[in-house]
Amino acid sequence: MNQDLEQLQRVVGYRFRDLEYLKTALTHRSAGARNNERMEFLGDAVLGFITAEALFDDHEKAREGDLSRLRAGLVKGDTLAAIARAISLGDYLTLGAGEVRSGGHARASILADALEAIFAAVYLDGGVDAVREVVLRLLGDRLQNLSVADARKDPKTRLQEFLQKRGFALPEYEMLKVEGEAHKQLFTVVCRVEELSLSSEGSGGSRRKAEQAAAALVLEQLP
């Protein structure tokens, strides 16, 4: 682990009174019995509450379903991993030898879990007001630029608009199989975004529903 935790604290925007909380949050389970797994659990709950609170305050006319979709986009693993990369969190992680050899410092799941653990560490060290400030600061534009109108769009539309805004080609949908009797068929479709090397399979009672399901799974993989 990079021992210069001063820089990490500056980037996170919080100075710990007890650095042991931070050190534990940065320790993966592969490195020993004292690790960040329990902190991940608490940090996930803290993050969910703070994002829910912020969305509730910022979108007074939004329906429950809209708020849930907006929150899901903020707390998903790929979003957290992108934030973790932006603050070079991988440089500070303590991993077991096997994880180091396999590139664990850059693995999205490990980065996302460590960021959640840091949220828990801040909460334990400084309380809810301190962690609220950290979460909102790190979410930044991702939180400010959310639109309820976008949340109400179907997954295929949201995926298409995401790609168009960035100059990427539109996704491709391919029927893989149709199962079941004529009156109760199950369609399976794959959605591919070649330029981002992303693909997901989705199933549904119609081709349209299967495509929507596949697009939703691709959306979950976007940063």
Side-chain angles (χ1 to χ4, degrees), residues 192-205:
R192 297 189 182 91
V193 181
E194 297 293 348
E195 290 177 89
L196 298 178
S197 300
L198 297 176
S199 67
S200 286
E201 294 181 14
S203 299

Side-chain angles (χ1 to χ4, degrees), residues 202-215:
S203 299
S206 67
R207 176 166 185 156
R208 178 181 178 280
K209 290 181 179 178
E211 289 178 349
Q212 296 286 9

Side-chain angles (χ1 to χ4, degrees), residues 78-109:
D78 289 325
T79 299
L80 299 180
I83 295 172
R85 291 189 186 99
I87 63 174
S88 300
L89 185 57
D91 294 344
Y92 299 90
L93 299 181
T94 298
L95 306 177
E99 286 292 352
V100 172
R101 287 193 297 271
S102 64
H105 287 95
R107 187 170 303 131
S109 60

